[in-house]
Amino acid sequence: MWKQQLLETNRGLFEIFVRGEGKPVCITHLYSEFNELGYYFADAFVHQFKVILVNLKEAGNSCRADLAEELSMAESVKDLEAVREALGFEKWSFAGHSTGGMLGLVYGDLYSDSLEGLVVGGAAASKKYMENRESMYCSQSPLNKRLREIFAILKSPEATVEEKRNANKEWTNMSLYNADKREDYFKRPSSGRVVQRRLDYYSFQELPLFDIRKKLSGINIPTLVYCGSHDKQCPLHYSEEIHREIPNSQLYIFNESNHLPYLEEESRFLSMLEDFKESL
């Protein structure tokens, strides 16, 4: 189990969960809420690092956002900086998956001096992934029609708990290379509930303008970029783009993974993190 802390900072109260020993690594997701059960992605890091799993504003017992703009990536990075300072770390690393990885790119752009290293997975540096028919979020994707139906179920106040559970399961299956192994991947309990207000801000306010590609060349810290070769959320092309633009970054491709290589190819993912530790 992860150890909960309520941390007072100069930007408000933040709930964090800590586990592991070693160099500190901050992990969060742009619109997820965590608890003592941890987070599948973060669990992979505790074998080699001291992991600080952060609930951003509006998530869990962290403070609320008075203004919608406080939910932006730039403001969220400032909140993470406040958490780092309150914990007394001169530097730490940051690791993020999917939109957590996008947040990491913004962190690397704005506060590289506070970071020892960066891990970015299954992510993109711009909104362009939404226009790629290989992404389930693109209207031209064969998965998109059903995905929209799933989202409608998840948002519907009339849908039953069972209907929402099944819809969420189907969405997850779309992100697996081999959905038949689902029960093995998710046999351990975990957390990561979607915070709707944060997701809505990202979807409707930030994503339409998101493009950090020209700023990636300024990220000058050890950076590990990874992606499943069958990723149906943020296709591999966008991780390759991030790798090309960040100097001296390393790219790991998981050939038997969709969007969740930390579950689908767990042993190789752990080996990748050993390489990251060595790079620090």
Side-chain angles (χ1 to χ4, degrees):
M1 298 290 284
W2 293 69
K3 183 178 179 181
Q4 182 212 42
Q5 293 183 35
L6 295 176
L7 191 68
E8 285 285 357
T9 78
N10 58 15
R11 289 178 65 88
L13 178 74
F14 289 90
E15 182 180 35
I16 66 172
F17 298 91
V18 181
R19 188 178 174 190
E21 296 183 357
K23 286 181 174 289
V25 174
C26 173
I27 293 179
T28 192
H29 188 278
L30 189 61
Y31 49 78
S32 292
E33 173 182 295
F34 308 108
N35 60 34
E36 289 87 350
L37 293 176
Y39 169 37
Y40 290 117
F41 173 67
D43 291 343
F45 287 76
V46 301
H47 305 284
Q48 307 195 56
F49 299 94
K50 180 175 184 177
V51 181
I52 298 89
L53 182 60
V54 181
N55 270 337
L56 296 171
K57 288 181 179 177
E58 296 287 335
N61 293 305
S62 291
C63 60
R64 305 299 97 175
D66 295 326
L67 302 173
E69 291 76 12
E70 294 177 53
L71 305 179
S72 71
M73 292 191 202
E75 290 300 311
S76 295
V77 164
K78 293 176 184 177
D79 292 338
L80 294 176
E81 277 290 275
V83 170
R84 179 187 61 79
E85 291 172 358
L87 289 171
F89 295 131
E90 181 178 351
K91 290 189 176 186
W92 60 5
S93 295
F94 180 86
H97 181 74
S98 198
T99 52
M102 296 176 192
L103 181 65
L105 295 177
V106 175
Y107 204 161
D109 171 48
L110 296 179
Y111 294 101
S112 276
D113 290 345
S114 298
L115 296 174
E116 273 198 286
L118 186 62
V119 178
V120 176
S126 76
K127 64 179 181 180
K128 290 294 184 181
Y129 75 96
M130 297 287 290
E131 302 169 10
N132 188 318
R133 71 185 317 273
E134 293 183 6
S135 169
M136 65 176 71
Y137 300 116
C138 175
S139 60
Q140 297 179 34
S141 165
L143 298 174
N144 188 256
K145 180 180 178 182
R146 180 55 186 161
L147 184 64
R148 290 176 181 272
E149 293 171 349
I150 288 172
F151 286 167
I153 294 171
L154 294 174
K155 284 189 173 186
S156 172
E158 299 176 357
T160 66
V161 172
E162 184 67 18
E163 287 172 334
K164 291 188 177 184
R165 184 181 295 116
N166 289 336
N168 192 61
K169 180 178 179 179
E170 187 177 352
W171 181 17
T172 303
N173 286 349
M174 289 180 179
S175 299
L176 293 173
Y177 177 60
N178 189 343
D180 290 341
K181 294 183 178 180
R182 177 194 169 89
E183 298 307 319
D184 290 335
Y185 298 147
F186 297 103
K187 59 187 175 184
R188 302 191 312 268
S190 189
S191 64
R193 184 183 71 85
V194 171
V195 179
Q196 195 63 46
R197 187 183 178 196
R198 294 194 64 93
L199 175 56
D200 287 345
Y201 184 87
Y202 167 72
S203 299
F204 302 117
Q205 301 297 322
E206 191 144 40
L207 181 57
L209 301 174
F210 182 65
D211 191 343
I212 197 174
R213 289 175 292 181
K214 292 182 179 179
K215 298 182 179 181
L216 297 182
S217 61
I219 298 176
N220 56 3
I221 53 177
T223 301
L224 188 155
V225 184
Y226 71 87
C227 190
S229 61
H230 306 277
D231 197 317
K232 297 300 183 186
Q233 291 199 32
C234 285
L236 175 60
H237 167 80
Y238 300 97
S239 288
E240 292 174 330
E241 180 179 60
I242 293 169
H243 167 58
R244 285 197 305 271
E245 295 300 324
I246 296 180
N248 302 316
S249 62
Q250 292 182 288
L251 175 65
Y252 289 76
I253 300 173
F254 292 82
N255 291 318
E256 296 182 14
S257 294
N258 186 330
H259 190 59
L260 306 174
Y262 52 89
L263 294 176
E264 299 176 277
E265 296 182 66
E266 184 178 17
S267 61
R268 184 163 178 249
F269 192 87
L270 293 175
S271 177
M272 179 190 73
L273 295 185
E274 290 181 10
D275 294 344
F276 178 63
K277 182 179 179 181
E278 289 297 319
S279 75
L280 301 180

